[in-house]
Amino acid sequence: MTDRYASFVQTGAGRALVKRLGLPDPPRLRRHTPGDPLVPGPVLLGSSAGGRIAEPAGKILTAAGVELADPVAAHDADRRFAALVYDASGITDSAGLRQLYDFFHPQARSLLPSGRVIVLGTPPAECGSPREATAQRALEGLTRSIGKEFGRGVTAQLVYVTREGDAGTPVSLESTLRFLLSGRSAYVSGQVVRVGTGTAVAPADWDRPLSGQVVLVTGAARGIGAALAKVLARDGAQVVALDIPAAGDELAAVANEIGGSAVQLDLTAPDAPTRLAEHLASRHGRVDVVVHNAGITRDKTLGRMDADRWDSVIDVNLSSQERINDVLLERDLIPAGGRIVSVSSIAGIAGNRGQTNYATSKAGVIGLVDSLSPVLRERGISLNAVAPGFIETRLTARIPLTIREAGRRMNSMAQGGLPVDVAETIGWLSWPASGAVSGNVVRVCGQSLLGA
């Protein structure tokens, strides 16, 4: 679906009109193309006094071929940076927050278009005192505000890095830094990511971080699911694409394009989890990554909704995920080091009129991550979710114009996202190198004004 307004504002006449009338100004986002450098310019790395993460972060960036700017360059008014990375882990009280101002204030206009801001901190629950926890929690307000202020496609994120993982920090943190700095995270902003202590295995080739991995994608025939299958295959995965029999032709086309395999299966059938487990066991012997993408909508206001609409949405969007997880885990088909990624929605965070069933199911997916990820961590398996906002698909193309335009413009990017934006985020959470990232719900919404 084409966003004609966003295309128009890139023209000379469009830019003049936007400036004169103060209209939304969707920037051209930097998205990932294979072979791209991680960032298109130097990165300025700073640290609070006593910060513990700057040194390993610097090693990661240098090894990734990133040019780290000389701190003296920060005082050059004409110098431009591709990213600002700041280690705030040394801030132990509210007075220490002044260090954030001292670093970011002079650099507020120094970022290139589609630049990146990453702040590294300590999880408040791990802090040694209430004052330190207070200061570390304050970092969320900083990054969310920067994401809304800097404009021009700039994203801002907060990454909490556990103290328990300090010995393995370079490996545990690397996948997250690579994702957030790259064009893969074009439509992700204002997020809080927690990097813990799970097993993280760096790939031999960061251009193919899923090489040798067997990945199941449900709902793979079209839209976000089809984009997912293509991105994961591009990253080296052997993709098992699943969808309902009615979508068989589209599913086969996707599987053939990526060199994967197609499974036609209705996930609501009583024997679906068993049949799926048997297929994976006989064909592959395991499944390294399970991506629960299948979902439906059956919209009506609650007072007008019949029971079938309620039941079908809960069953497909939530209960089927639980049933599949139970069988695959019971049969040990997801090995240690495996990853599960579920697709939630911004509706599960903020709610949505006429979608009580859908919002309930998607909030339940977040509950699944909260409740099951600590259990799976004991087995060396990570569990995360993504929560898309307004994504340009055939589904959103059917939304009435005024509502569609509101969905597109009510975020820091002033535009809708693309299916590939969701796919890239799920790809990152699927990498073996992201095994220490678990229990997260990452919004792919351009920092929507709706919800938290």
Side-chain angles (χ1 to χ4, degrees), residues 280-315:
L280 292 169
S282 63
R283 296 290 184 89
H284 306 285
R286 71 186 196 286
V287 58
D288 299 295
V289 183
V290 176
V291 181
H292 292 293
N293 170 69
I296 62 172
T297 57
R298 298 290 185 269
D299 297 350
K300 282 284 185 180
T301 57
L302 186 58
R304 297 177 180 274
M305 184 182 299
D306 59 77
D308 286 344
R309 288 175 184 265
W310 179 276
D311 292 341
S312 61
V313 169
I314 298 296
D315 196 24

Side-chain angles (χ1 to χ4, degrees), residues 53 97 121 214 217-218 300 360:
I53 312 172
L97 295 172
V214 178
V217 179
T218 68
K300 282 284 185 180
T360 300

Side-chain angles (χ1 to χ4, degrees), residues 1 390-401 404 408:
M1 181 171 56
F390 186 95
I391 304 298
E392 304 280 0
T393 64
R394 288 189 293 185
L395 179 65
T396 53
R398 296 197 295 266
I399 297 174
L401 177 62
R404 185 167 69 240
R408 283 170 168 162

